[in-house]
Amino acid sequence: MGAGPAGLLLSHLLATNGIESVVVENRSREYCEARQRAGVLEGGTAELLRSVGLGKRLDAIGMEHGGIYLQFDGSRHYVDFRSLTDGRTVTVYAQTEVVKDLIAARLAAGGAIEFSATSVSVSDVASDRPVLSYVDADGTPRSVSCDVIAGCDGFHGICRPLIPEISVYERTYPYAWLGVLADAVPSTDELIYSRHESGFALYSMRSPSVSRLYLQVAPDEKLEEWSDDRIWSELQKRFAVDGWSVAEGPVREKSVTPMRSFVSGPMRYGRLFLAGDAAHIVPPTGAKGLNLALSDVVVLANALRAALLSGSWELADAYSDTCLRRVWRATHFSWWMTSMLHVAPGADAFEAQLQLSQLRYVTSSRAQATALAENYTGYRPARLQT
Ligand code: APR
Ligand code: PHB
């Protein structure tokens, strides 16, 4: 259930093992392909996509990055991932492009994706034949009798509540991100994560002519209060360093995203498996959400391959624990990056000094910088079995 990156990649991986699936999605194809989301792929995630035939546009328009800048106190410091790790990098490639690639690949292979489905529901997950019911885009009621159902239906989906006695661990942050997509040539070679007294700012990009920028704002921030002029002047202030400025251009899109850490488990009940945002959310500061979702799916594809083709359910039994170990590492890293770089409302001078001390430490100690680089570029990827 769900045609986000998790549901679509799972369907693609299952097909390579000869396992049939249908992806049921309540939004239209246009909506799924236009949704603006994150954009950083860990090295292992990019490799995974290439290894399953999804590397063509990624290699053509993805932008490989060997580090990030951390900025604080008016100065900018480079964290060089390549030299801190064994040459690891990340690739800036928008999630929306990953989704387009996956939809195109599934449809070209004759895969079934039911967009614009309504009345989607799941039953009998504790039995050997769970049922997925929905009304298709033409208004015809459908019912699919399945071996398993994968709840890849995002944070607001209907599958997570079907798991009885699920444990939930949650933290909401007292700020949000105002995201801006602009037709402006990025004035930086690498992403810039900037801590400023007025709040955090992030400089990212989508192409050599499109910038993706974020500003820390209040969780209940009103978009209409942010004119393009106000956005640019706030960005200039939060990224200011001597002799450099943010290149401005027409703003194409803006939106406000809340910041939340959320982990739920177990990620399985009977024949229902959760993957991606349906089970966990990280704040975007660590750029981990998409990578975690795709990593869950590799573990799940391996487990379903063993269960459905060989009748061996050990990997399926280990699925939740295997995923949650990585999820908690990413949850800690994202929380750490978020706490180090944002200015919480009401934070006092003591807290500010701790943040600055931590930032100075990360940018001056090889051990600390290596820890950041290792987490940012990704953990050892789950290996796809074929
Ligand atoms: N029935 C069918 N589809 C549903 C339902 C439902 N009841 N509820 C939600 N969906 C769909 C959504 O419309 C969406 O297309 O499930 C899909 C979930 O996709 P995502 O939210 O993209 O989640 P996921 O595939 O896990 O990808 C995680 O998305 O939010 C980002 O940072 C996150 O990068 C990460 C990625
Ligand atoms: C993005 O490009 O959208 C992006 C990059 C890095 C982040 C979050 C978002 O940490």
Side-chain angles (χ1 to χ4, degrees):
M1 187 180 304
L8 290 166
L9 181 66
L10 180 62
S11 174
H12 183 84
L13 298 182
L14 291 176
T16 63
N17 283 307
I19 299 170
E20 226 186 307
S21 65
V22 49
V23 178
V24 178
E25 164 63 51
N26 60 4
R27 302 285 195 162
S28 67
R29 177 176 179 182
E30 294 68 34
Y31 182 93
C32 293
E33 292 189 339
R35 203 162 25 193
Q36 287 302 324
R37 291 271 184 80
V40 177
L41 304 182
E42 295 171 359
T45 306
E47 273 315 304
L48 163 73
L49 294 175
R50 287 188 191 105
S51 75
V52 294
L54 296 163
K56 199 157 173 242
R57 290 177 67 246
L58 167 65
D59 287 330
I61 59 175
M63 293 174 287
E64 193 178 15
H65 287 264
I68 56 168
Y69 293 108
L70 286 177
Q71 183 173 329
F72 54 96
D73 255 355
S75 59
R76 201 169 283 170
H77 306 257
Y78 189 51
V79 182
D80 184 345
F81 298 159
R82 283 195 181 91
S83 77
L84 289 162
T85 65
D86 49 359
R88 288 199 239 163
T89 60
V90 296
T91 299
V92 172
Y93 186 62
Q95 177 168 324
T96 180
E97 304 302 331
V98 175
V99 167
K100 282 185 215 164
D101 294 344
L102 281 163
I103 290 174
R106 284 311 294 133
L107 296 180
I113 311 178
E114 295 275 18
F115 289 106
S116 305
T118 53
S119 306
V120 184
S121 71
V122 169
S123 58
D124 303 335
V125 292
S127 79
D128 287 353
R129 296 305 291 177
V131 176
L132 175 52
S133 308
Y134 59 98
V135 175
D136 73 14
D138 298 328
T140 309
R142 307 265 177 199
S143 183
V144 190
S145 168
C146 311
D147 290 307
V148 299
I149 294 177
C152 306
D153 51 348
F155 185 63
H156 300 288
I158 59 167
C159 290
R160 188 176 63 248
L162 298 175
I163 299 192
E165 295 178 40
I166 198 164
S167 298
V168 166
Y169 307 83
E170 190 168 15
R171 173 80 33 108
T172 51
Y173 299 87
Y175 29 75
W177 279 14
L178 170 64
V180 175
L181 193 66
D183 290 316
V185 173
S187 3
T188 177
D189 54 341
E190 302 281 27
L191 273 59
I192 307 170
Y193 289 78
S194 180
R195 182 203 176 275
H196 187 274
E197 307 81 88
S198 306
F200 170 72
L202 170 62
Y203 202 143
S204 181
M205 58 204 75
R206 286 291 174 266
S207 76
S209 59
V210 177
S211 297
R212 178 75 171 148
L213 297 137
Y214 298 95
L215 286 166
Q216 176 190 342
V217 294
D220 56 353
E221 196 75 24
K222 295 195 176 49
L223 254 190
E224 55 275 17
E225 286 173 12
W226 285 86
S227 66
D228 295 0
D229 281 353
R230 182 178 174 204
I231 289 173
W232 290 117
S233 90
E234 196 62 25
L235 287 166
Q236 297 294 4
K237 182 171 80 181
R238 296 193 196 178
F239 286 119
V241 285
D242 286 344
W244 182 93
S245 64
V246 178
E248 302 183 10
V251 171
R252 237 201 267 166
E253 227 181 281
K254 45 190 167 186
S255 60
V256 174
T257 315
M259 307 274 285
R260 178 188 274 121
S261 294
F262 179 97
V263 181
S264 66
M267 291 168 59
R268 172 193 177 191
Y269 175 66
R271 297 280 182 126
L272 174 68
F273 296 80
L274 301 182
D277 276 18
H280 43 76
I281 298 267
V282 285
T285 328
K288 285 283 160 254
L290 173 59
N291 296 290
L292 279 182
L294 299 187
S295 167
D296 285 353
V297 160
V298 170
V299 178
L300 185 52
N302 288 341
L304 295 182
R305 178 175 184 266
L308 302 179
L309 301 185
S310 316
S312 158
W313 286 80
E314 279 98 62
L315 291 178
D317 292 342
Y319 170 70
S320 183
D321 287 347
T322 306
C323 291
L324 286 172
R325 262 194 297 279
R326 175 184 293 253
V327 166
W328 274 112
R329 176 87 300 282
T331 299
H332 177 269
F333 175 64
S334 308
W335 164 84
W336 177 75
M337 286 283 280
T338 302
S339 320
M340 175 170 71
L341 289 160
H342 290 72
V343 178
D348 59 9
F350 180 81
E351 199 160 318
Q353 291 303 330
L354 288 181
Q355 289 180 312
L356 291 169
S357 172
Q358 178 70 66
L359 282 160
R360 281 193 297 270
Y361 192 23
V362 173
T363 51
S364 60
S365 148
R366 189 173 173 92
Q368 282 282 303
T370 303
L372 190 156
E374 208 168 77
N375 280 275
Y376 196 100
T377 54
Y379 323 108
R380 188 194 308 195
R383 291 188 72 83
L384 183 67
Q385 290 163 13
T386 48

